[in-house]
Every structure is written in structure tokens, then in C-alpha cells.
Amino acid sequence: MKRNLLLTPGPTQIPPSVCQALGEPIIHHRTPQFQEDIKEAIEGLQYVFQTKNDIYLIPASGTGAMEALVANILSPGDKAITVEGGKFGERWTELCQAYGINAHVIKVPWGQAVTAKEIKQALEEHKDAKAVFITLSETSTGVVTDVQAVAQEVQKTQAVCVVDAVSGLGVIDLKMDAWGVDAVASASHKGFMLPPGLAFVSVSDKAFKLIEESKSPRYYFDLRKSKKAFEKTDTPFTPAIGIVRALNESLTLMRKEGLENLFAHYARLARGTQQAALALGLSLYPDESCRSNVLTAIGLPSTVDGNKLVKVMRDTYGVSVAGGQAELKGKIIRIAHMGCIDEYDILTGIACLEKVLTQLGHSFELGAGLSAAQKVFNQE
Ligand SMILES: *Cc1c(COP(=O)(O)O)cnc(C)c1O
């Protein structure tokens, strides 16, 4: 019988107690009981977002949270700055285009991160820019952005700093308030260890002023409605009741562990995976200066077909990792360090990777990856 181990950058493995919570009968949402659930969820989310700002719960995938921010913060004809160094950075540009926003794009080579200096320069050249859209952890390339440094530059201007933290929140550090980040988008199915279907957005007062001024058409994603409901511990439409209740179990687990310990846990898994890849004669795709702990993007030799590698690992052995997207299709694999996984899950993934690499004719000493990862895990 085959297991299905998810080492993918969303969806991620769900803890047993969260699965149990998901199996509970549904309750009605306009009740004191569900109000308590919302209250608890908001408090827990504020802990993970490291913010005192409002947090709105929107039934949607992560892109819904991103769209909500674009549609609410800007108006047609406004200018914004976006960063394209991977698929998710491109999504900000595409969303801006869909809402008639004039996006000035900073192009970054894939595998590298945008620098605060580049952001500063763009803001000087585009003084009318109202928002800067960045990505905490670019899932298509395994690159992490120095959000703190970027936010510091944006703060000096009229613009707001908007971060896609769909992948990364709860896995690596993002101090929304302390770093002066104005808006954050996230979702249930990555670091929060839940099924997809629930998105979260948080906005600062500076960002909310823009939301009140915005002339963009919006209805379901209207954050003015969300704010009004939030003030009554309510949601504007039917919430994802089951996922909100399971979220509280997930948040309980995260708070019990503590953010610092979670970050250290995933960083250790990342270091083990990185050493394993190198020991197998593979390369690490992102620049050393900006490697994300959220996932490890591993470069494959041209002799190994990455699509086939991913397919055999998943379909024959029940270990799911992600392949490359767009220009990286077939050239990399991505192993996530997110969700309910530990070092033995990573070792299973590496063992499976070794097995299939051998089948595909890549030569290395069998066990070299496992040994390298275990050395990291045993020492730290
Ligand atoms: C997963 C992800 C998203 C959202 O994707 P959905 O499929 O809409 O959930 C956005 N940004 C990043 C960086 C992601 O990893």
C-alpha cells in the first residue's frame, strides 16, 4: 500500500489533530459559538503575522488574498512597482494589469532576489508609485526576499509595501509591524498545515486609507465590507466554517511550538536537504545569498529529466515533490520544508530521490544524500 507523502510547496502535510478537527460536523456561523472561533483565529493569526492590525478571513486560495489587496489598495490608472524573478512575482504584475494599474516591473534574474537598493531606485524614478509588491519566498525558484530591508525603503515614501507571504508565513520570519510592512497576503494550505480554501489578509492603517480611496470595482473581495464585519467579530459572507475551526487547532499547535522554534525547525530541514543535494552531485538553484528555508530548489544535470523524476517519485513511490515551472520545467525539483513534516519525512524524500536518480542513470554513491542529511540532523 502506498502512502502519499507531501513534500510539495502547497498543499502541505496536515497534522492528525487538524484532520480530526476537519471531520467535525458543521456548525452555523451566525452564532456565539462561531464568534468565539473567529476571535480565537484572529488572535492566533495576529501572533503568526506578528501584527496588531486587523486580519480578514476570505474563502479563497492564496491568489484570492493577492487579488483582494490589488483590487482594494489601488485604483485604475494608479502606478505600482512589481518584481519579477519568478512565477509568483509575475502574478502581482498580472493582477495589476487586470485591474488597469500601471505596473513598473523590476526584472530580476531567476534564482536571485531583488535588493532594497533596486527598490529605492525604482521609487526615486517613479515618485507617483502608490504600492510596491514583493514576494516573501518565491516558490518557483526557492528565493527569499529581504522584506525588512525593502519595507524600510518603501516606508520613506508615500507608497505601501505589499507582501505575498502565502508561502513562508509560519516557516520563516516576517515581522509585519516591526518591519513596517503595510499589507500581507497568506493562505491556509502552506505553513498553516490546512487544506486549501481559506485566505488571510492583513493591512496597516496606511494601506487602509488607500482602500477607502480606491475606485476599483470590487464586491466579494471588498475589504471595506471585511473591516465592517471584523469590527463585529463577523465575516461579510459565509465563512469557510470548517477550515476556520481547524485553523484554531493548527494555530494552537503553532503557538505551542513558538514561532522561533518553528523557524529553527524548518531551517534545519532546509540545511539537511541542501547538503543531501550537494552530496548527490546536484546543485542548489538559488544564489547562496538568497536561499529560502521554505523550500529547496535543486538543479538537475541535463542528463536527468526532471519531469520524469517527479512523476516516478510520486506515482511509483508515493513521494510528492514539485518540478520546475516555466523556464525551469524539467530542470529542477523543489522539496518543501513546510507543514507537518520532520527530519524523517525529509530522509524518506531523499531516499526516494536517490532511488529514482539511480533508475534514471545518474551516478553517485548510494546513500550519500542520506548520510549528508543525517550528519546535519545529528549535529544540530
Ligand atoms: C502558493 C502560492 C501562492 C498562491 O497560490 P494559490 O494556488 O492561489 O493558493 C501565492 N504565492 C506564493 C509565493 C505561493 O507559493
Side-chain angles (χ1 to χ4, degrees):
M1 216 164 64
K2 212 164 43 188
R3 272 209 305 168
N4 181 27
L5 175 63
L6 288 180
L7 297 176
T8 43
T12 58
Q13 295 264 127
I14 299 175
S17 61
V18 175
C19 287
Q20 251 164 20
L22 287 164
E24 289 288 317
I26 202 77
I27 64 166
H28 198 277
H29 54 290
R30 311 280 186 219
T31 54
Q33 191 186 358
F34 191 69
Q35 261 195 331
E36 281 303 310
D37 289 328
I38 293 186
K39 204 163 150 271
E40 185 182 334
I42 299 303
E43 280 169 16
L45 287 169
Q46 284 172 329
Y47 170 73
V48 178
F49 277 67
Q50 303 187 64
T51 188
K52 290 194 171 66
N53 293 324
D54 292 0
I55 295 184
Y56 307 129
L57 306 170
I58 308 171
S61 82
T63 308
M66 295 170 72
E67 178 154 352
L69 292 177
V70 171
N72 280 274
I73 290 174
L74 298 166
S75 303
D78 278 352
K79 187 178 274 183
I81 292 165
T82 60
V83 177
E84 291 185 0
K87 286 298 286 176
F88 292 99
E90 288 170 11
R91 190 161 297 179
W92 279 132
T93 313
E94 289 163 7
L95 281 164
C96 283
Q97 285 161 353
Y99 282 88
I101 291 145
N102 176 7
H104 168 76
V105 180
I106 304 176
K107 290 253 184 209
V108 177
W110 282 38
Q112 291 179 29
V114 71
T115 62
K117 206 168 133 200
E118 288 169 300
I119 297 284
K120 182 174 183 225
Q121 216 166 2
L123 283 165
E124 275 165 8
E125 280 164 25
H126 303 276
K127 289 205 165 38
D128 52 342
K130 280 194 177 167
V132 175
F133 292 95
I134 55 172
T135 313
L136 172 61
S137 179
E138 174 54 74
T139 310
S140 60
T141 60
V143 163
V144 66
T145 305
D146 186 347
V147 171
Q148 183 176 15
V150 170
Q152 204 173 4
E153 290 305 330
V154 181
Q155 248 184 339
K156 296 174 191 158
T157 70
Q158 62 150 9
V160 290
C161 179
V162 183
V163 180
D164 164 5
V166 175
S167 157
L169 213 61
V171 180
I172 55 175
D173 204 8
L174 175 70
K175 293 181 169 49
M176 185 175 184
D177 290 357
W179 295 355
V181 174
D182 294 295
V184 175
S186 198
S188 52
H189 56 306
K190 311 253 170 139
F192 289 97
M193 308 178 284
L194 292 159
L198 182 60
F200 319 118
V201 299
S202 184
V203 288
S204 69
D205 291 344
K206 183 175 172 185
F208 209 86
K209 282 210 181 72
L210 293 177
I211 290 173
E212 279 167 341
E213 291 164 10
S214 163
K215 294 181 179 66
S216 287
R218 53 208 145 133
Y219 190 85
Y220 184 69
F221 286 136
D222 190 339
L223 295 181
R224 293 167 301 185
K225 286 195 191 98
S226 306
K227 188 178 179 63
K228 226 184 236 170
F230 180 90
E231 279 157 8
K232 294 181 287 181
T233 323
D234 200 355
T235 57
F237 309 106
T238 309
I241 302 168
I243 310 181
V244 172
R245 286 164 64 81
L247 168 66
N248 283 334
E249 176 56 28
S250 201
L251 288 167
T252 301
L253 296 174
M254 291 172 84
R255 290 170 92 165
K256 213 181 268 170
E257 191 75 22
L259 279 183
E260 292 305 320
N261 291 332
L262 280 173
F263 301 157
H265 166 69
Y266 292 119
R268 181 167 167 270
L269 298 185
R271 282 192 296 274
T273 309
Q274 290 166 4
Q275 289 310 310
L278 295 174
L280 294 174
L282 308 174
S283 61
L284 298 175
Y285 180 74
D287 227 51
E288 195 174 357
S289 60
C290 54
R291 265 174 215 154
S292 175
N293 288 336
V294 179
L295 74 160
T296 298
I298 300 172
L300 302 167
S302 57
T303 48
V304 173
D305 176 351
N307 293 327
K308 195 161 180 197
L309 177 62
V310 170
K311 193 175 173 346
V312 177
M313 284 178 74
R314 182 191 61 227
D315 295 344
T316 309
Y317 302 111
V319 175
S320 289
V321 299
Q325 294 170 286
E327 64 190 64
L328 294 176
K329 212 166 172 42
K331 295 181 183 157
I332 63 165
I333 59 162
R334 295 170 296 146
I335 300 179
H337 319 298
M338 247 190 281
C340 183
I341 55 164
D342 64 18
E343 67 188 71
Y344 295 101
D345 296 314
I346 292 293
L347 290 171
T348 300
I350 293 165
C352 184
L353 175 63
E354 290 197 8
K355 183 159 189 147
V356 182
L357 280 173
T358 304
Q359 289 171 12
L360 296 181
H362 180 61
S363 64
F364 58 94
E365 195 186 329
L366 196 66
L370 282 171
S371 170
Q374 279 184 298
K375 270 184 198 136
V376 172
F377 296 151
N378 292 352
Q379 279 162 12
E380 296 181 12

